[in-house]
C-alpha cells in the first residue's frame, strides 16, 4: 500500500510569492495534518483537517491556509512568503478518530524562500 | 501548555553499544507520548507510543522506552546500536487539551554511530 505522498519534493520561491503544497493521505484515512519543520527544530503543528473541515490550527499567521478535498487529499497554501517560511513541510494522515490514532508522515516538501 | 525537552542535541555511540536518548515532558495529566525517527530525506517514522498501562513500551527496530511519571520522562533505549540507526530522533507529546490531534515535538537528538 502507498504511504502518504507529498508534492512537490522541493520548491524554490522568492519573497512575496504564493505557494501551494499537496498531500495525499493513506487510503482510508480521513484526517490530514500539516507540520512545519525549520532546520534544526522539531516539527510544529499548523493545521488538522478531518472530513474536509478544519479541526484545529496552530500558532501560524493567516498567510497560512489549507483545505481538504472530498477524496481527503489536502493542500497547504502560504501567501506573501517570507524568508522565515523556508522549511520542510510535513503532511501526516490518520484515521483522525482520537488523539491516539497513529499519524503517518509523508517525506515532506522542502520550501526555500529567497 | 505542553512542552517536550530533549536535552541532547547530538549523541555519538559506537556500533554495538547501548543507547539511551532522553526526553522530558511537561503535561498536567497522563500524556500520550511518542518517539519518532527521521532519516535524511525521509518523513517521520513512529518507533513506539505510550498511552497507559505498562510503563515499559516495546517498539520497532529493537527500541524500547520507559515512562516515569515521577521524573516526567520517557527515555528511549536500545541495547545494541546498528550503523543504520544513525538518524534524528524526536520525542513528542499529544496535546489532549484540544479537540484535535496535535503533536508537540522536542527539538530532536541526532544520533551518530561510530564504527
Amino acid at each position: 500500500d502507498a504511504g502518504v505522498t507529498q508534492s512537490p519534493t522541493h520548491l524554490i520561491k522568492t519573497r512575496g510569492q504564493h505557494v501551494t503544497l499537496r498531500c495525499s493521505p493513506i487510503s482510508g484515512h480521513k484526517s490530514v495534518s500539516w507540520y512545519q519543520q525549520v532546520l534544526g527544530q522539531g516539527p510544529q503543528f499548523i493545521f488538522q483537517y478531518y472530513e474536509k473541515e478544519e479541526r484545529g490550527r496552530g500558532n501560524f499567521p493567516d498567510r497560512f491556509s489549507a483545505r481538504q478535498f472530498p477524496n481527503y487529499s489536502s493542500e497547504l497554501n502560504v501567501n506573501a512568503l517570507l524568508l522565515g517560511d523556508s522549511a520542510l513541510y510535513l503532511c501526516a494522515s490518520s484515521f483522525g478518530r482520537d488523539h491516539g490514532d497513529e499519524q503517518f508522515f509523508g517525506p515532506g516538501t522542502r520550501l526555500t524562500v529567497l | 501548555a505542553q512542552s517536550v525537552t530533549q536535552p541532547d542535541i547530538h549523541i555519538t555511540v559506537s556500533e554495538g553499544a547501548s543507547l539511551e536518548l532522553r526526553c522530558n515532558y511537561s503535561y498536567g495529566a497522563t500524556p500520550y507520548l511518542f518517539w519518532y525517527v527521521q532519516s535524511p530525506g525521509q518523513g517521520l517514522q513512529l518507533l513506539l507510543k505510550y498511552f497507559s498501562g505498562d510503563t515499559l513500551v516495546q517498539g520497532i527496530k529493537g527500541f524500547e522506552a520507559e515512562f516515569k511519571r515521577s521524573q516526567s520522562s520517557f527515555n528511549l533505549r536500545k541495547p545494541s546500536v546498528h550503523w543504520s540507526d544513525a538518524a534524528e530522533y524526536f520525542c513528542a507529546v499529544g496535546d489532549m487539551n484540544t479537540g484535535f490531534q496535535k503533536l508537540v515535538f522536542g527539538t530532536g537528538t541526532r544520533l551518530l554511530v561510530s564504527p
Side-chain angles (χ1 to χ4, degrees):
Chain A
D1 285 339
V4 177
T5 58
Q6 293 186 244
S7 63
T9 305
H10 296 88
L11 204 52
I12 299 175
K13 293 285 189 178
T14 56
R15 282 176 295 174
Q17 284 189 312
H18 162 271
V19 68
T20 298
L21 311 181
R22 296 177 176 84
C23 171
S24 292
I26 290 171
S27 177
H29 285 183
K30 297 182 178 181
S31 169
V32 169
S33 296
W34 288 94
Y35 288 80
Q36 180 195 64
Q37 185 178 16
V38 173
L39 196 63
Q41 301 291 321
Q44 287 212 320
F45 173 81
I46 310 175
F47 287 111
Q48 184 198 10
Y49 274 76
Y50 178 73
E51 289 278 22
K52 294 159 283 183
E53 294 194 358
E54 181 182 306
R55 186 181 256 185
R57 183 187 184 109
N59 188 24
F60 279 81
D62 291 343
R63 299 185 296 108
F64 288 76
S65 64
R67 55 180 177 168
Q68 188 177 32
F69 299 99
N71 67 352
Y72 303 109
S73 67
S74 177
E75 285 182 352
L76 174 69
N77 296 285
V78 187
N79 292 324
L81 285 167
L82 303 174
L83 295 179
D85 295 330
S86 295
L88 180 68
Y89 288 85
L90 295 165
C91 170
S93 79
S94 73
F95 291 112
R97 291 165 302 194
D98 60 50
H99 289 279
D101 285 342
E102 180 177 347
Q103 296 191 53
F104 293 82
F105 284 82
T109 293
R110 172 75 60 189
L111 172 65
T112 302
V113 182
L114 301 176
Chain B
Q2 283 87 339
S3 64
V4 175
T5 301
Q6 294 181 249
D8 303 305
I9 298 174
H10 297 100
I11 281 187
T12 299
V13 175
S14 299
E15 191 168 15
S18 64
L19 168 71
E20 183 168 25
L21 301 182
R22 296 184 290 164
C23 172
N24 292 96
Y25 66 89
S26 170
Y27 186 71
T30 300
Y32 285 8
L33 293 163
F34 306 83
W35 273 100
Y36 284 87
V37 62
Q38 185 176 39
S39 299
Q42 311 250 341
L44 298 166
Q45 181 183 23
L46 181 67
L47 290 175
L48 46 78
K49 59 186 179 183
Y50 172 79
F51 294 163
S52 64
D54 192 348
T55 56
L56 187 62
V57 180
Q58 301 298 320
I60 63 170
K61 303 185 179 186
F63 286 94
E64 66 177 28
E66 187 171 12
F67 171 63
K68 293 185 177 180
R69 183 189 303 276
S70 61
Q71 299 175 20
S72 297
S73 69
F74 188 57
N75 293 349
L76 182 71
R77 300 194 296 246
K78 186 170 185 178
S80 177
V81 168
H82 187 262
W83 64 267
S84 61
D85 293 323
E88 185 121 29
Y89 291 79
F90 291 95
C91 181
V93 62
D95 186 343
M96 292 185 291
N97 287 332
T98 67
F100 49 91
Q101 272 190 309
K102 174 185 174 183
L103 294 172
V104 177
F105 287 87
T107 52
T109 297
R110 181 165 297 278
L111 173 65
L112 305 172
V113 180
S114 60

